Amino acid sequence: MTSRPGLPRTPGTGVPAVSAVSAVSAALAAVLVAGTAVLSACSDDGDSPVPSTTHPASAATVSAPGAELGTPETEDGPLSGSQPVNVLPGDGTALVAAQIRVGAHSTYDRVVVEFDGTGSPGWDVGLTDHPTADGSGLPVDFSGRQAMTIDLRGIDMNATADRAAAGKDATPPVKLAKDTGAIRSVKAAGAFEGQQRVVVGLADRNPEFRVNLLSSPTRLVIDVMRR
């Protein structure tokens, strides 16, 4: 039989050389496939790192630890640092804002909200030019160049309603010192859906302020720096 011209033969076999090359290529391909399968198995067994996505935590999920103070009279001392301005109340919190008082100090004015009840309060403190009341959305008057809103969270609506039914003021009384420099006015609005807003009139715009939670009794303290 005459072989086809131009097709080289593997010596001593009579098999076209191109067939041997194809066989080698097929063998290499099989090795590569097997290697890929091994790598896939290693990747699936949990040993290889898996990319993860991190989500920034909301300030409103931060728990605010309290500082032990024996009596309200110890509020005169300076407090170091500040807690977040937006904090959720603890589970099962049922509080009533019993009193708001403002004291004057040499470099700052201090707002103290004292609570009755159980649990750890939450809050949201911010600055605005147009404060409004929760629920109604009506504007709240204030004195000064800017307002600070303090939203008290974890308010017991049943206890607040009981106070109103008993002929008591549903909003806490406010005691404002006469010689304040950073604070011009303080007004407490009614409670709405577990929250109560306090509007503070500020002498200056965008002042530095600090927020802290004190215990024994439970008090939210906001220090507004003087300029």
Side-chain angles (χ1 to χ4, degrees), residues 39-133:
L39 289 175
S40 299
C42 292
S43 179
D44 291 339
D45 63 6
D47 293 336
S48 60
V50 178
S52 61
T53 303
T54 58
H55 300 280
S58 171
T61 62
V62 178
S63 297
E68 286 293 337
L69 292 183
T71 62
E73 285 72 24
T74 58
E75 292 165 2
D76 290 339
L79 300 174
S80 60
S82 179
Q83 296 188 20
V85 297
N86 192 344
V87 175
L88 290 177
D91 293 339
T93 295
L95 295 169
V96 173
Q99 185 186 86
I100 301 174
R101 50 186 177 269
V102 179
H105 300 261
S106 59
T107 58
Y108 61 91
D109 292 342
R110 173 168 291 175
V111 180
V112 179
V113 182
E114 185 170 324
F115 296 93
D116 287 339
T118 59
S120 180
W123 59 83
D124 185 8
V125 181
L127 302 176
T128 180
D129 292 333
H130 305 287
T132 59

